[in-house]
Amino acid sequence: MTACSDRTTIETFPPHHRVHPLEHGVFLPHGPHDGPAFTAMIGAAPQWMLLFRDWTHETPPLGALDAVRAQGATPVLTWEPWYAPPMDTAPADAAHQPAFALARMPAGDHDHRIGTWAAALASWGHDVVLRFAHEMNGDWYPWGTGVQGNTADQYVRAWRYVHDRFAAAGAANVRWCWAPNIPASGADAEGAQLADFFPGEDVVDVLGIDGYNWGSPEPPLSWTTPAELFDSGLAELRGLGTRLPIVVTETASAEGRAPEHSKADWISQLFDYLTRQGDVRGVIWFHEDKERDWRVDSSATARTAYRRAVAKLR
């Protein structure tokens, strides 16, 4: 672990006193080259930009990372240890990929790919936030809890193993983001708390959390306010006792299906809510029409609300 011991750490924030304005970011489905158009639409350049790569990619997307940096944003590279199926053809058992069960990483099965990525990012040399194996407390990925026999202990061992390989490669420019999904009623289906999956403050630089307002009429994907969505998860992250900065690494809202459910209002509430959370450094909006139309501009009112919310952060 010595290679990363002298890295520059991301500034910590006190829980309920904001030192700097909340920062905003975005995931763009066609990549960072759409950043200027997004900036023009919302009236401000994103300060964080989220990328995704699965393990079909033998090397990191250095060109895309350069494009993010050229726009003045911090790249957050989500590194997913699986072969992600196309959304329109994904089988029901897509998470069943035995080659990517958590136990296979410490066993050395993926050392070549891990080493290749570590060496490439170390050689690239610029700061990048690596969000490895996110949403581990869900059951929709091969590394998820209860999937393929995975346990929270195995997740911790896999994380620390991969981190050690990067440290050995001298990748001190990599900042590690541990990002669970919002907890379901405080615990996942296997009864584990977020703390059970936490690899340790010595191998994590940023705490992430993902959560969406799905907007369905009925639970569990019902209309959910920002406070209802994030209160319990933020409490569990703070309960780790680390004082690491927190970033909402994925969020968005569907358009409401009832008159009292306004996506524009939800956007305003989200930014107001997160601004009051002093240890939440940033929020990244998932700007894609996917399971729902999550885009900022799914309606004119939503777009206007987002522009106003971002303008207030300055």
Side-chain angles (χ1 to χ4, degrees):
M1 303 306 296
T2 56
C4 288
S5 62
D6 59 351
R7 65 191 186 278
T8 302
T9 57
I10 292 177
E11 182 181 0
T12 60
F13 281 55
H16 301 297
H17 175 68
R18 182 158 294 284
V19 177
H20 302 299
L22 180 73
E23 298 177 356
H24 67 100
V26 68
F27 164 71
L28 298 168
H30 301 297
H33 298 290
D34 284 346
F38 184 81
T39 295
M41 180 177 67
I42 69 165
Q47 295 154 294
W48 302 76
M49 200 167 286
L50 182 65
L51 307 171
F52 288 83
R53 289 296 185 275
D54 70 356
W55 280 20
T56 61
H57 298 268
E58 293 290 338
T59 57
L62 301 185
L65 296 180
D66 284 333
V68 172
R69 293 186 67 249
Q71 295 173 57
T74 297
V76 181
L77 179 54
T78 303
W79 197 29
E80 304 177 305
W82 72 327
Y83 296 152
M87 281 298 299
D88 55 351
T89 60
D93 63 345
H96 183 70
Q97 297 186 17
F100 298 106
L102 288 173
R104 304 323 310 156
M105 292 179 215
D109 290 9
H110 302 287
D111 279 0
H112 176 73
R113 180 181 283 100
I114 295 167
T116 297
W117 270 65
L121 288 175
S123 179
W124 183 64
H126 304 291
D127 284 356
V128 56
V129 176
L130 191 69
R131 188 172 70 135
F132 173 64
H134 66 306
E135 299 179 2
M136 76 301 297
N137 55 322
D139 61 2
W140 42 88
Y141 291 124
W143 59 88
T145 182
V147 179
Q148 307 184 130
N150 296 332
T151 66
D153 286 344
Q154 287 177 333
Y155 180 84
V156 170
R157 286 197 295 272
W159 176 287
R160 296 188 69 91
Y161 180 83
V162 174
H163 185 279
D164 282 358
R165 301 283 294 182
F166 273 69
N173 55 310
V174 173
R175 310 289 181 259
W176 292 81
C177 177
W178 176 76
N181 198 57
I182 54 169
S185 301
D188 67 84
E190 298 295 316
Q193 303 293 317
L194 295 188
D196 297 325
F197 299 93
F198 185 56
E201 190 173 3
D202 60 322
V203 292
V204 174
D205 300 288
V206 182
L207 302 176
I209 192 163
D210 297 353
Y212 290 81
N213 175 30
W214 288 79
S216 299
E218 302 294 334
L221 302 181
S222 54
W223 188 267
T224 310
T225 69
E228 292 169 339
L229 192 63
F230 289 112
D231 269 355
S232 63
L234 291 178
E236 288 200 43
L237 294 186
R238 289 166 181 149
L240 298 173
T242 68
R243 292 180 61 83
L244 291 172
I246 298 169
V247 175
V248 175
T249 38
E250 288 184 44
T251 194
S253 175
E255 291 284 353
R257 300 186 185 183
E260 66 273 20
H261 294 160
S262 162
K263 180 173 180 175
D265 288 347
W266 195 92
I267 290 170
S268 299
Q269 294 164 8
L270 173 74
F271 280 88
D272 288 345
Y273 169 78
L274 293 178
T275 296
R276 295 193 301 270
Q277 315 302 314
D279 51 357
V280 177
R281 178 167 180 169
V283 53
I284 300 174
W285 190 274
F286 191 84
H287 181 68
E288 184 173 12
D289 186 355
K290 197 180 172 189
E291 305 93 346
R292 302 283 193 273
D293 191 347
W294 305 117
R295 294 174 299 174
V296 166
D297 59 341
S298 58
S299 63
T301 55
R303 181 178 64 247
T304 298
Y306 200 91
R307 284 181 63 95
R308 288 175 176 168
V310 169
K312 288 171 62 177
L313 302 179
R314 302 174 192 172

